[in-house]
Amino acid sequence: MLALIRIIALICYFILVNAALLLVCLVRPFHRDNVYVAGKLYSSISVILGLKLEVRVPESVKQGGPFVYIANHQNSYDLVTICKAAQKGTVTVGKKSLKWIPIFGQAYWLTGNIMIDRKNSGRARGTLQVTVDKIKEKGLSVWFFPEGTRSYGRGLLPFKSGAFRIAEETKEPIVVVAASNLHQKIKLNRWNNGTVLMSLSEPEYMDEDKPLKDNMAYFHNKMADMIKVLDTEIESHNS
């Protein structure tokens, strides 16, 4: 019974959140803080899921970027969990096809996110250049899920190079965003589904003396270590 009530509440509230976000975006389309507002709105859905969200942000990040954010991509619940970690002046890079999803897609576009056509390598390269230009000209930070797809409990997947090429081109620091494991931890028929811990690292520049692959491996290891620390803390709370 609880699961049914929760599903109905989720659908209704999700529609309400998207309508509110769309209204905000129509009033101020492509504003630099629209993604930040979207993160706050979507993360409020966590209450219906019985989730508590805790985000730890260092002062160096709060003081502003631009940064290249890289975050772990677990599952569809990321829309209501790790999105809360989005900071002001940040946009994301997403698939162009998202634009055609009713209400959500239009809101995603109007928030000022960068749309990439993954099926067309030429356009994808052009989009990377647009991303570089936005960082340089508008001082925007950009958020990536460098795994490129949801991990669904398979652990931290290998990184794709896009975020790191942009950090290399713009010479802006990388901020790692890590969230504790949520795989198969949400049960719709349970009131309390626990806590999701999220932590942002201090900004760190890539090592210009090392090849791109070595930098990617370094930040992959750093994210994996951060996730391990968060998971250990969650386990100690539950024991």
Side-chain angles (χ1 to χ4, degrees):
M1 187 64 179
L2 174 59
L4 178 61
I5 294 172
R6 184 171 264 161
I7 289 171
I8 294 172
L10 283 170
I11 293 171
C12 294
Y13 191 68
F14 186 72
I15 293 171
L16 181 63
V17 162
N18 279 284
L21 179 59
L22 188 59
L23 180 60
V24 169
C25 292
L26 287 172
V27 171
R28 55 175 205 183
F30 312 113
H31 190 279
R32 63 183 290 113
D33 292 336
N34 279 355
V35 171
Y36 171 78
V37 172
K40 298 304 180 187
L41 286 171
Y42 284 126
S43 62
S44 67
I45 299 173
S46 62
V47 176
I48 299 176
L49 288 169
L51 283 172
K52 179 182 177 183
L53 307 181
E54 183 180 331
V55 183
R56 298 162 181 174
V57 186
E59 287 300 320
S60 55
V61 174
K62 291 179 181 179
Q63 290 169 10
F67 305 121
V68 177
Y69 292 100
I70 57 171
N72 59 316
H73 200 7
Q74 298 190 61
N75 50 43
S76 297
Y77 288 118
D78 289 341
L79 183 63
V80 300
T81 56
I82 203 166
C83 69
K84 187 173 183 178
Q87 302 297 298
K88 291 184 177 180
T90 301
V91 295
T92 70
V93 177
K95 294 181 294 185
K96 190 176 181 180
S97 58
L98 290 173
K99 187 165 62 174
W100 305 113
I101 300 175
I103 303 180
F104 172 80
Q106 290 75 60
Y108 185 83
W109 173 58
L110 287 169
T111 50
N113 292 300
I114 301 166
M115 315 295 278
I116 186 170
D117 187 351
R118 289 183 177 175
K119 295 181 180 179
N120 188 316
S121 60
R123 289 183 181 177
R125 285 193 293 272
T127 304
L128 290 178
Q129 187 57 50
V130 169
T131 305
V132 169
D133 293 342
K134 284 199 172 188
I135 292 174
K136 288 183 175 180
E137 296 170 10
K138 298 185 178 181
L140 287 171
S141 297
V142 182
W143 179 293
F144 284 90
F145 290 112
E147 295 161 279
T149 189
R150 299 170 181 86
S151 58
Y152 293 117
R154 292 173 289 171
L156 191 62
L157 302 179
F159 284 172
K160 298 184 181 301
S161 64
F164 303 94
R165 293 187 185 280
I166 286 173
E168 184 177 55
E169 179 71 21
T170 59
K171 301 196 183 305
E172 298 296 350
I174 291 174
V175 174
V176 179
V177 186
S180 59
N181 179 36
L182 194 60
H183 181 61
Q184 294 184 338
K185 290 192 175 182
I186 294 180
K187 297 185 185 299
L188 294 179
N189 60 353
R190 181 172 60 194
W191 279 109
N192 184 1
N193 280 304
T195 300
V196 179
L197 294 180
M198 290 161 279
S199 178
L200 281 68
S201 73
E202 298 284 351
E204 185 175 359
Y205 291 93
M206 291 204 304
D207 190 336
E208 295 182 354
D209 295 328
K210 293 182 179 179
L212 189 69
K213 285 187 177 180
D214 286 356
N215 278 292
M216 290 170 62
Y218 169 79
F219 282 102
H220 187 280
N221 290 335
K222 182 171 182 173
M223 185 181 291
D225 288 342
M226 289 173 64
I227 293 170
K228 188 180 296 184
V229 169
L230 294 173
D231 287 345
T232 299
E233 185 172 345
I234 288 289
E235 289 174 8
S236 66
H237 283 174
N238 294 336
S239 60

